[in-house]
Amino acid sequence: NMQLIGERRGEVDLAFVQGDASPSTYARLITVLYDEVLHILVSNETGRDIRTVYDLQGKRVALGTTGSGTRDLSQRVLSHFGVEVGEDLIISPSEAAAALADGSIDAAFLLSAIPSSLIADLAREDKISFLSLGDAGEAGDEAHALELVFPGMQEDIIPRSTYVRWPREAVDTVSVPAMLVAREDLDEELVRTI
């Protein structure tokens, strides 16, 4: 989306972008909308041995669709910790949810506002577990490291029982702000109205 605002000028006037997107001199911020929280979900069918981010090594994992912010963030997280998945599945969030439920993948990265109805449905059916990037509230864990290394990422928590009974314990994770940006030369009155 940032490329549509900048490199291919005139193609779009407004775009939704993540706070960790590559900056553009052609865009200006209108507003921060909400936090997109990284949910790392593990299939209860096939992922019983996955307890940490390092256990994703060699597994079948959905990292997001091509060009998506989810995919970019997921790849940075895994690369930072030196984790190479066995099979990188490029599927939509709804396809990832179905694959988690039937056990055809081991884990999925989903970037979403809290609460997510897609994740709530999986949790209600006890099809998933939540993978934590450390011990929630403990300084110096994996989520804290990501916040320090990647500008725009912030340590965050998925509170216990966000999805009714799940997660059973608070989950330490990261989030990025969802922002609305405009072309830098868009009419100032229009931007104020928006």
Side-chain angles (χ1 to χ4, degrees), residues 12 20 26 29 45 47 49 53-54 73 80 82 85 87 102 107 119 133 146 151 169 175 177 181 185:
V12 299
D20 62 338
Y26 302 109
L29 176 65
E45 291 290 318
D49 60 335
V53 68
Y54 305 103
L73 187 136
H80 178 77
V85 299
E87 188 177 351
D102 70 19
I119 295 168
L133 292 171
L146 291 168
E169 300 294 327
S175 63
V181 297
D185 60 349

Side-chain angles (χ1 to χ4, degrees), residues 6-155:
E7 292 174 13
R8 302 187 332 223
R9 293 179 62 108
E11 210 166 309
V12 299
D13 296 323
L14 303 167
F16 295 102
V17 299
Q18 288 177 199
D20 62 338
S22 298
S24 170
T25 57
Y26 302 109
R28 65 180 174 182
L29 176 65
I30 294 180
T31 189
V32 174
L33 301 167
Y34 56 88
D35 286 333
E36 292 184 294
V37 178
L38 179 62
H39 294 72
I40 305 175
L41 306 174
V42 176
S43 171
N44 284 343
E45 291 290 318
T46 59
R48 288 184 177 88
D49 60 335
I50 300 172
R51 299 281 180 251
T52 71
V53 68
Y54 305 103
D55 296 331
L56 295 173
Q57 182 77 29
K59 302 293 186 187
R60 296 168 297 158
V61 184
L63 299 177
T65 56
T66 303
S68 70
T70 299
R71 183 167 192 76
D72 180 60
L73 187 136
S74 301
Q75 289 176 324
R76 283 187 287 147
V77 167
L78 292 173
S79 176
H80 178 77
F81 296 117
V83 175
E84 291 185 29
V85 299
E87 188 177 351
D88 173 2
L89 297 133
I90 303 171
I91 56 179
S92 72
S94 58
E95 292 170 319
L100 283 166
D102 70 19
S104 59
I105 64 172
D106 300 308
F109 284 63
L110 297 174
L111 197 56
S112 170
I114 290 178
S116 159
S117 59
L118 184 71
I119 295 168
D121 290 344
L122 289 169
R124 190 176 308 106
E125 297 171 14
D126 289 331
K127 298 291 185 180
I128 55 164
S129 297
F130 293 75
L131 188 64
S132 192
L133 292 171
D135 186 6
E138 179 182 310
D141 64 5
E142 287 87 350
H144 188 220
L146 291 168
E147 178 182 55
L148 294 174
V149 172
F150 296 109
M153 254 189 236
Q154 57 200 20
E155 188 172 8

